[in-house]
Amino acid sequence: MNISRRNFIAASGVAGAAAVLAGCGSSSSSSDSGSKTYKIGVVQLTEHSALDASNDGFVTALNESGLDVSIDQQNAQNDQSACQTIASKFVGDGVDLIYAIATPAAQAAAAATTDIPIVGCAITDYAASGLVKDNDKPDTNVTGASDLTPVAEQLQMMQKVLPDVKKVGLLYCSAESNSDIQIASAKEELDALGIAYEEYAVSSSNEIQSVVESAVGKVDALYAPTDNTIAAGAAQVGQICKENKLPFITGEEGMCEAGGLFTLSINYTDLGKLAGEMAVKILKGESKPEEMAIEHLSTEDLVVVKNDEMATAIGVDLSVLDA
């Protein structure tokens, strides 16, 4: 795997097994020193590298804060009803803050409580997803860090690497609002580039194989945004693409490593840490979610990721990305 960094200008804009991670070890309302132990509920939509990294970064930020915390980790295994069950459990437990990783997890948490602060992560557009009234001033109990994807730049990179591409397959899950937003951006950019496209939508992971296989021979490349269902099945997509020498351009680093060809990606560990720092401010009483603008990582530290093994297998030269 080859990774480098590049500057660009972007628009700013049921439950799994519980694991308790404690900054100072206590799960009671106060520690022996008399300081408060904050109860944090983490609901993660599913397991894949980007969401796992968002979780790791959040925990790192809490551990570095010096706060005494008890963290209840729950994974919904890509089941929306499980997200709702987990969120309701956290409300019943009286947690001090909910950390929601991915849009469906945050939507479930927001539906479960309007009082407990919610910090989200790995969410593209909080306002468009109905989580806040405005990304600059949420005016709800939700705030967080956005993984706004450089869709236009990724597709411009595709044209640079694959100048002969005439038609792109847009692969995503129709059940994910984040993907709808990114696919709309992809269509707009492809129109500007003069490249045709066709949508290949799945409603669940069970459809990935048949849908990807249906694209073979009909498109010159596949593009998938930061879609959680496709990310979890990226290795499956990559294997089909490898067998058919079909370039697969992904929305983020983990998807590329699993089966993509290349991407321009944010760092999800850093994004999770940013969300964690926001949570610390809320727990310390320094800020309130309704007043905290949705935050983004710096656009100066995106990562260009190349999957050299895939490039060799399908016969694509990625050296142009080293320029």
Side-chain angles (χ1 to χ4, degrees), residues 231-254:
Q236 183 181 19
V237 178
Q239 184 59 40
I240 298 170
C241 289
K242 180 188 290 187
E243 292 170 355
N244 293 279
K245 298 188 181 303
L246 180 63
F248 176 36
I249 295 87
T250 65
E252 57 90 16
E253 179 178 350

Side-chain angles (χ1 to χ4, degrees), residues 166-225:
K166 298 294 188 293
K167 190 173 186 179
V168 174
L170 300 175
L171 179 64
Y172 67 104
C173 177
S174 57
E176 297 192 27
S177 59
N178 271 3
S179 297
D180 291 338
I181 295 165
Q182 294 175 84
I183 290 297
S185 296
K187 291 177 180 178
E188 182 177 352
E189 183 60 25
L190 289 169
D191 284 338
L193 294 172
I195 299 174
Y197 55 80
E198 184 171 345
E199 294 182 47
Y200 290 89
V202 303
S203 60
S204 72
S205 59
N206 295 330
E207 298 178 357
I208 289 177
Q209 180 173 342
S210 62
V211 168
V212 174
E213 288 177 344
S214 73
V216 174
K218 297 178 182 177
V219 298
D220 303 308
L222 278 183
Y223 172 76

